[in-house]
Short mmCIF file of all heavy atoms in Angstrom, two decimals:
data_model
loop_
_atom_site.label_atom_id
_atom_site.label_comp_id
_atom_site.label_asym_id
_atom_site.label_seq_id
_atom_site.Cartn_x
_atom_site.Cartn_y
_atom_site.Cartn_z
N THR A 11 9.81 14.41 2.07
CA THR A 11 10.22 14.59 3.55
C THR A 11 9.09 14.52 4.56
O THR A 11 9.23 14.99 5.69
CB THR A 11 11.02 15.86 3.74
OG1 THR A 11 10.33 16.98 3.36
CG2 THR A 11 12.34 15.82 2.90
N VAL A 33 18.28 12.93 0.47
CA VAL A 33 16.85 13.15 0.46
C VAL A 33 16.70 14.52 -0.20
O VAL A 33 17.51 15.41 -0.20
CB VAL A 33 16.39 13.20 1.89
CG1 VAL A 33 16.85 14.36 2.72
CG2 VAL A 33 14.79 13.30 1.87
N CYS A 34 15.48 14.69 -0.67
CA CYS A 34 15.02 16.04 -1.29
C CYS A 34 13.59 16.26 -1.09
O CYS A 34 12.76 15.22 -0.89
CB CYS A 34 15.34 16.15 -2.79
SG CYS A 34 14.45 15.03 -3.83
N GLY A 35 13.08 17.38 -0.96
CA GLY A 35 11.70 17.73 -0.82
C GLY A 35 11.33 19.09 -1.43
O GLY A 35 12.18 19.75 -1.97
N SER A 36 10.08 19.31 -1.39
CA SER A 36 9.65 20.71 -2.02
C SER A 36 10.08 21.79 -1.21
O SER A 36 10.15 23.06 -1.70
CB SER A 36 8.15 20.59 -2.26
OG SER A 36 7.40 20.42 -0.90
N ASP A 37 10.25 21.75 0.06
CA ASP A 37 10.63 22.78 1.06
C ASP A 37 12.08 22.57 1.38
O ASP A 37 12.44 21.74 2.11
CB ASP A 37 9.87 22.71 2.25
CG ASP A 37 10.01 23.90 3.24
OD1 ASP A 37 11.16 24.49 3.10
OD2 ASP A 37 9.13 24.19 4.03
N PRO A 38 12.94 23.47 0.83
CA PRO A 38 14.45 23.28 1.03
C PRO A 38 14.87 23.33 2.55
O PRO A 38 15.69 22.62 2.95
CB PRO A 38 15.04 24.63 0.38
CG PRO A 38 13.95 24.85 -0.66
CD PRO A 38 12.54 24.62 -0.07
N VAL A 39 14.13 24.26 3.34
CA VAL A 39 14.44 24.37 4.75
C VAL A 39 14.04 22.94 5.36
O VAL A 39 14.91 22.49 6.26
CB VAL A 39 13.77 25.59 5.42
CG1 VAL A 39 13.89 25.46 6.90
CG2 VAL A 39 14.09 26.80 4.84
N LYS A 40 12.97 22.44 5.20
CA LYS A 40 12.47 21.18 5.78
C LYS A 40 13.41 20.10 5.36
O LYS A 40 13.73 19.20 6.11
CB LYS A 40 11.05 20.91 5.40
CG LYS A 40 10.51 19.73 5.91
CD LYS A 40 8.99 19.43 5.58
CE LYS A 40 8.37 18.26 6.33
NZ LYS A 40 6.96 17.99 5.83
N SER A 41 13.75 20.19 3.99
CA SER A 41 14.67 19.10 3.54
C SER A 41 16.03 19.15 4.29
O SER A 41 16.58 17.97 4.57
CB SER A 41 14.88 19.32 1.96
OG SER A 41 13.75 19.16 1.35
N ARG A 42 16.62 20.29 4.47
CA ARG A 42 17.85 20.35 5.18
C ARG A 42 17.83 19.83 6.64
O ARG A 42 18.60 19.13 7.16
CB ARG A 42 18.38 21.85 5.23
CG ARG A 42 18.92 22.26 3.91
CD ARG A 42 19.85 23.55 4.05
NE ARG A 42 19.08 24.67 4.58
CZ ARG A 42 18.32 25.54 3.74
NH1 ARG A 42 18.28 25.40 2.41
NH2 ARG A 42 17.64 26.53 4.33
N LYS A 43 16.68 20.20 7.25
CA LYS A 43 16.46 19.76 8.69
C LYS A 43 16.38 18.25 8.73
O LYS A 43 16.86 17.58 9.59
CB LYS A 43 15.35 20.38 9.20
CG LYS A 43 15.35 21.82 9.54
CD LYS A 43 14.16 22.45 10.20
CE LYS A 43 14.43 23.96 10.66
NZ LYS A 43 13.20 24.61 11.19
N PHE A 44 15.60 17.76 7.75
CA PHE A 44 15.43 16.28 7.74
C PHE A 44 16.76 15.51 7.39
O PHE A 44 17.03 14.57 8.05
CB PHE A 44 14.38 15.95 6.60
CG PHE A 44 13.92 14.49 6.49
CD1 PHE A 44 12.86 14.11 7.01
CD2 PHE A 44 14.69 13.55 5.78
CE1 PHE A 44 12.40 12.69 6.99
CE2 PHE A 44 14.28 12.19 5.70
CZ PHE A 44 13.15 11.80 6.29
N ALA A 45 17.47 16.12 6.50
CA ALA A 45 18.89 15.56 6.22
C ALA A 45 19.74 15.57 7.32
O ALA A 45 20.49 14.60 7.52
CB ALA A 45 19.41 16.34 4.94
N GLU A 46 19.70 16.66 8.01
CA GLU A 46 20.58 16.81 9.29
C GLU A 46 20.15 15.86 10.29
O GLU A 46 21.05 15.24 10.95
CB GLU A 46 20.56 18.25 9.77
CG GLU A 46 21.21 19.30 8.91
CD GLU A 46 20.94 20.72 9.32
OE1 GLU A 46 20.12 20.91 10.31
OE2 GLU A 46 21.35 21.68 8.62
N LYS A 51 22.66 13.63 2.80
CA LYS A 51 22.87 14.78 1.98
C LYS A 51 21.50 15.33 1.58
O LYS A 51 20.61 14.54 1.30
CB LYS A 51 23.57 14.32 0.67
CG LYS A 51 23.80 15.44 -0.35
CD LYS A 51 24.60 14.98 -1.59
CE LYS A 51 24.67 16.16 -2.51
NZ LYS A 51 25.51 15.70 -3.75
N ALA A 52 21.40 16.60 1.56
CA ALA A 52 20.26 17.29 1.13
C ALA A 52 20.34 17.74 -0.32
O ALA A 52 21.10 18.65 -0.56
CB ALA A 52 19.86 18.45 2.00
N PHE A 53 19.65 17.19 -1.19
CA PHE A 53 19.65 17.59 -2.55
C PHE A 53 18.58 18.75 -2.83
O PHE A 53 17.60 18.85 -1.98
CB PHE A 53 19.26 16.40 -3.49
CG PHE A 53 20.27 15.32 -3.62
CD1 PHE A 53 20.17 14.20 -2.78
CD2 PHE A 53 21.19 15.43 -4.53
CE1 PHE A 53 21.10 13.23 -2.91
CE2 PHE A 53 22.25 14.40 -4.74
CZ PHE A 53 22.14 13.29 -3.84
N ALA A 54 18.96 19.76 -3.64
CA ALA A 54 18.13 20.89 -3.83
C ALA A 54 16.86 20.50 -4.41
O ALA A 54 15.76 21.15 -3.91
CB ALA A 54 18.92 21.73 -4.87
N ASN A 55 16.64 19.51 -5.29
CA ASN A 55 15.40 19.11 -5.82
C ASN A 55 15.64 17.63 -6.41
O ASN A 55 16.70 17.10 -6.33
CB ASN A 55 14.98 20.01 -6.92
CG ASN A 55 16.13 20.38 -7.85
OD1 ASN A 55 16.64 19.42 -8.51
ND2 ASN A 55 16.37 21.64 -8.02
N TYR A 56 14.57 17.06 -6.77
CA TYR A 56 14.59 15.66 -7.27
C TYR A 56 15.45 15.59 -8.74
O TYR A 56 16.06 14.65 -8.91
CB TYR A 56 13.28 14.95 -7.45
CG TYR A 56 12.35 15.48 -8.34
CD1 TYR A 56 12.45 15.19 -9.81
CD2 TYR A 56 11.16 16.12 -8.05
CE1 TYR A 56 11.56 15.52 -10.70
CE2 TYR A 56 10.30 16.54 -9.04
CZ TYR A 56 10.43 16.28 -10.35
OH TYR A 56 9.40 16.63 -11.25
N GLU A 58 18.16 17.22 -9.32
CA GLU A 58 19.62 17.09 -8.89
C GLU A 58 19.91 15.75 -8.40
O GLU A 58 20.91 15.11 -8.79
CB GLU A 58 19.98 18.19 -7.93
CG GLU A 58 21.35 18.17 -7.39
CD GLU A 58 21.69 19.02 -6.21
OE1 GLU A 58 20.77 19.32 -5.32
OE2 GLU A 58 22.85 19.39 -6.00
#
Side-chain angles (χ1 to χ4, degrees):
T11 56
V33 65
C34 68
S36 57
D37 183 338
V39 174
K40 185 178 179 182
S41 295
R42 282 196 300 272
K43 288 181 178 179
F44 188 96
E46 289 170 3
K51 177 178 178 179
F53 288 92
N55 47 53
Y56 68 75
E58 181 189 25

